[in-house]
């Protein structure tokens, strides 16, 4: 069985004491989950190992035979400036530490110093290196405009440029172990994105999904952390929690914005300490899963009103993806319409109906508050009512008619922009401009344009004929 390696790049321990290398390797794995480790007792072999094993971080002793740590540091900095080097020395010498930092060392620690401080410094170096590699990959993808693993997004139907940029970003952070926050309106496909992130990560464990909306504090603890036998009345057997079930894989917490403050504290502690206690147990277990969280809530607003902890937010938002609403992806609507109609016909055992040519235009001018999920539901409803011939637009028109067409202040400000150094258009001219915009959005379809304007089709037709008559020069 393959083992997930953390971090994605190798960590090389260089020390002439074999016993220290063994104990240090064990400490890194148990205290920080770092298991992508290589060891080197002979400093003369270090450069070959760096090149052979794609090393990203070196933990280096100073006093060694053959080639000293300071000499090796200079060689690493010169030949591999992208590799971070941390000095882990038995000497508490200020001048040596300053010299190493000036020579390019990332940090300097004393072997006998506080263990937690050393581990935190190593974690910090790994995070910095991960960020460098992610930025490098993002630049490569941006300029190439290609995906390395398009198969990971095969279940997400889109031709929208914004969504493709999201895919490129996800590829660039896929191998990182840091957490991902997915935001977006309900129905935009957050769970599908979580699945894509898991597939891209190459993790051997499962993707375990939990919807935490409305979950009380005690149930949250039992669900995530599990319990020991006898932890409470009725706990006849020990049960593993979702964190343990996701070991080696990914834990997806949906609707994180609805989590209670008490549960937020427990989640924060899990992320800070990297370990947890099952209910009724005094033996800690390590977090060995990548965390992905999602919400349709505005977490900035929830932080402002005190219902979401700021410290938890900053732990979760290292990588953040904001999924665009369907109304912002108009080119995807015809594509999704055909797909869902085909899917509905197959499931209902019918032939796929013929789509009226004005239907995609109508839907491209609908706000879709329920996003992709709403479009799917409308398609299934329409196919279930279909009796032959061209598909009726009644189901779709009803949804458009029942929609809240009120304009937000922000949208109104964006639309009505009148430069102060230009005269205002007349009321008649403004009405004409509005009609022109509606006809443009409706692709010349008067019926759809009339819906957008909130008037009848005959009234729009009369206005257009009247304008045409005014524009025709008299003989």
């Amino acid at each position: 069985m393959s083992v997930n390696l953390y971090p994605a790049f190798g960590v090389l321990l260089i020390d002439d004491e074999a016993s220290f290398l063994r104990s240090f390797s064990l400490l890194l794995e148990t205290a920080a989950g770092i298991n992508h480790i290589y060891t080197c007792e002979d400093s003369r072999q270090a450069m070959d190992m760096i090149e052979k094993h794609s090393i990203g971080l070196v933990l280096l002793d100073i006093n060694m035979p053959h080639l000293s740590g300071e000499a090796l540091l200079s060689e690493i900095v010169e030949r591999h400036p992208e590799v971070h080097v941390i000095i882990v020395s038995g000497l508490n010498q200020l001048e040596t530490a300053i010299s190493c930092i000036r020579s390019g060392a990332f940090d300097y620690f004393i072997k006998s110093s506080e263990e937690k401080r050393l581990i935190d410094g190593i974690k910090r170096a790994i995070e910095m290196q991960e960020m460098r590699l992610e930025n490098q990959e993002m630049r490569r993808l941006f300029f190439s405009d290609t995906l390395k693993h398009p198969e990971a997004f095969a279940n997400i139907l889109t031709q929208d440029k914004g969504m493709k940029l999201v895919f490129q970003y996800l590829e660039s952070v896929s191998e990182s172990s840091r957490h991902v926050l997915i935001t977006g309106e309900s129905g935009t496909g957050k769970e599908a994105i979580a699945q894509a992130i898991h597939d891209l990560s190459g993790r051997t464990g499962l993707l375990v999904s939990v919807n935490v909306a409305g979950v009380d504090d005690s149930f949250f603890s039992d669900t995530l952390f599990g319990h020991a036998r006898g932890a409470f009345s009725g706990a006849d057997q020990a049960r593993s929690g979702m964190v343990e079930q996701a070991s080696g894989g990914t834990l997806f917490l949906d609707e994180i914005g609805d989590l209670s403050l008490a549960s937020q504290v427990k989640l924060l502690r899990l992320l800070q300490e990297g370990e947890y206690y099952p209910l009724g147990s005094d033996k800690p277990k390590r977090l060995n899963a990548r965390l992905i969280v999602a919400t349709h809530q505005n977490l900035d607003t929830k932080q402002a009103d005190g219902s979401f902890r700021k410290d938890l937010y900053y732990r979760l938002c290292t990588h953040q993806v904001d999924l665009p609403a369907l109304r912002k992806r108009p080119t995807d609507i015809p594509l999704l319409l055909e797909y869902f109609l085909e899917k509905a016909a197959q499931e209902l055992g019918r032939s796929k109906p013929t789509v009226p040519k004005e239907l995609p235009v109508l839907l491209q001018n609908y706000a879709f508050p329920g996003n992709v999920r709403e479009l799917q539901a409308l398609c299934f409803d329409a196919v279930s009512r279909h009796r032959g011939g061209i598909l009726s637009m009644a189901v779709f028109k009803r949804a458009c008619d029942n929609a809240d067409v009120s304009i937000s202040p922000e949208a109104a400000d964006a639309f009505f922009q009148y430069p102060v150094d230009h005269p205002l258009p007349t009321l008649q001219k403004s009405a004409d401009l509005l009609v022109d915009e509606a006809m443009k959005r409706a692709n010349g379809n008067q019926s759809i344009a009339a819906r957008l304007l909130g008037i009848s089709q005959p009234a729009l037709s009369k206005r257009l004929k009247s304008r045409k008559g005014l524009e025709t020069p008299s003989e």
Side-chain angles (χ1 to χ4, degrees):
M1 178 180 175
S2 59
V3 177
N4 294 309
L5 294 177
Y6 169 72
F9 51 83
V11 178
L12 178 61
L13 280 53
I14 307 174
D15 198 296
D16 60 314
E17 297 180 20
S19 59
F20 175 74
L21 291 175
R22 287 193 297 270
S23 62
F24 197 20
S25 298
L26 183 61
L27 172 65
L28 292 177
E29 185 163 4
T30 55
I34 300 170
N35 61 356
H36 198 173
I37 297 173
Y38 301 90
T39 59
C40 177
E41 293 182 47
D42 189 336
S43 56
R44 294 172 296 183
Q45 302 172 0
M47 296 306 297
D48 288 338
M49 294 190 69
I50 290 173
E51 294 168 359
K52 181 180 178 182
H53 298 292
S54 300
I55 301 299
L57 175 62
V58 172
L59 306 177
L60 177 63
D61 188 21
I62 287 290
N63 290 327
M64 295 183 293
H66 309 303
L67 189 63
S68 71
E70 288 186 82
L72 184 55
L73 169 64
S74 298
E75 191 172 352
I76 294 172
V77 170
E78 180 181 353
R79 292 173 54 182
H80 298 282
E82 76 283 357
V83 175
H84 288 169
V85 181
I86 293 179
I87 306 298
V88 184
S89 173
L91 300 176
N92 188 2
Q93 295 179 349
L94 181 60
E95 290 184 4
T96 303
I98 293 174
S99 175
C100 289
I101 296 297
R102 285 177 175 172
S103 296
F106 183 83
D107 215 331
Y108 187 106
F109 293 99
I110 311 302
K111 288 181 180 179
S112 58
S113 63
E114 185 181 356
E115 179 182 296
K116 186 178 185 303
R117 181 171 169 271
L118 172 60
I119 294 298
D120 287 345
I122 293 171
K123 285 182 176 179
R124 186 165 58 251
I126 289 174
E127 289 178 359
M128 292 289 289
Q129 189 68 292
E130 286 181 334
M131 288 179 64
R132 185 190 69 81
L133 293 172
E134 288 162 11
N135 289 335
Q136 181 180 336
E137 181 65 9
M138 285 178 67
R139 286 196 299 270
R140 187 195 69 77
L141 291 169
F142 177 79
F143 288 112
S144 66
D145 195 29
T146 57
L147 294 173
K148 288 194 302 183
H149 302 287
E151 68 279 0
F153 307 101
N155 292 327
I156 305 173
L157 205 60
T158 183
Q159 56 188 9
D160 179 70
K161 290 183 178 179
M163 285 296 289
K164 289 183 178 179
L165 287 174
V166 168
F167 296 167
Q168 289 181 330
Y169 173 72
L170 293 179
E171 281 198 338
S172 69
V173 304
S174 61
E175 295 183 353
S176 169
S177 61
R178 288 180 289 174
H179 317 305
V180 183
L181 170 63
I182 307 172
T183 57
E185 296 178 9
S186 295
T188 49
K190 295 187 285 293
E191 190 165 356
I193 289 294
Q195 180 68 60
I197 296 172
H198 174 71
D199 293 342
L200 287 167
S201 71
R203 290 176 170 265
T204 58
L206 301 173
L207 170 66
V208 178
S209 302
V210 186
N211 190 318
V212 298
V215 175
D216 63 40
D217 184 50
S218 60
F219 187 67
F220 175 80
S221 299
D222 190 27
T223 300
L224 255 66
F225 308 138
H227 61 254
R229 182 180 179 183
F232 49 83
S233 178
D236 300 328
Q237 293 182 341
R239 188 184 68 81
S240 62
M242 296 297 189
V243 176
E244 186 173 353
Q245 293 174 32
S247 182
T250 305
L251 178 64
F252 175 48
L253 301 183
D254 201 4
E255 301 301 349
I256 194 72
D258 296 317
L259 197 62
S260 69
L261 285 171
S263 295
Q264 288 178 36
V265 172
K266 295 182 178 181
L267 181 59
L268 176 63
R269 188 177 300 122
L270 172 69
L271 301 181
Q272 287 178 333
E273 304 300 329
E275 61 181 27
Y276 62 97
Y277 291 86
L279 295 179
S281 173
D282 57 359
K283 294 182 179 180
K285 293 186 176 182
R286 283 207 60 79
L287 169 64
N288 186 28
R290 186 184 197 179
L291 189 67
I292 301 175
V293 299
T295 182
H296 71 280
Q297 305 265 17
N298 186 323
L299 293 186
D300 290 333
T301 301
K302 292 185 73 67
Q303 288 178 78
D305 64 23
S307 59
F308 198 87
R309 295 179 63 98
K310 291 185 177 181
D311 47 4
L312 177 58
Y313 173 77
Y314 291 121
R315 284 277 178 179
L316 295 172
C317 71
T318 310
H319 298 311
Q320 184 168 354
V321 178
D322 186 41
L323 298 183
L326 183 57
R327 62 182 171 276
K328 297 180 180 179
R329 299 161 44 192
T331 57
D332 281 349
I333 291 176
L335 194 68
L336 291 167
L337 176 64
E338 291 288 342
Y339 172 76
F340 287 135
L341 289 175
E342 178 70 37
K343 185 178 179 181
Q346 288 179 356
E347 292 191 15
L348 295 172
R350 300 183 180 184
S351 299
K352 178 178 172 292
T354 302
V355 179
K357 62 180 182 180
E358 62 268 31
L359 179 55
V361 179
L362 174 69
L363 297 180
Q364 285 175 325
N365 287 283
Y366 175 50
F368 277 106
N371 291 289
V372 178
R373 190 180 297 129
E374 181 184 6
L375 176 58
Q376 180 178 7
L378 290 174
C379 289
F380 271 74
D381 190 17
V383 173
S384 68
R385 298 170 185 269
H386 181 62
R387 293 295 177 268
I390 296 177
L391 181 68
S392 170
M393 293 175 54
V395 169
F396 304 97
K397 286 181 177 179
R398 186 164 56 249
C400 295
D401 291 341
N402 293 335
D404 181 6
V405 295
S406 59
I407 302 176
S408 66
E410 294 81 5
D413 290 342
F415 188 79
F416 299 106
Q417 293 292 332
Y418 299 115
V420 294
D421 56 343
H422 286 70
L424 284 172
T426 64
L427 194 61
Q428 179 62 46
K429 183 61 177 176
S430 295
D432 289 343
L433 291 171
L434 194 59
V435 168
D436 290 342
E437 179 64 22
M439 289 295 290
K440 179 181 175 182
R441 294 188 182 191
N443 199 22
N445 186 295
Q446 290 189 21
S447 177
I448 295 175
R451 284 177 174 274
L452 296 177
L453 294 169
I455 60 177
S456 67
Q457 192 274 330
L460 175 60
S461 180
K462 182 179 179 181
R463 175 180 286 274
L464 290 171
K465 288 178 181 178
S466 173
R467 284 178 54 188
K468 187 174 181 181
L470 290 172
E471 293 169 359
T472 304
S474 59
E475 295 182 357

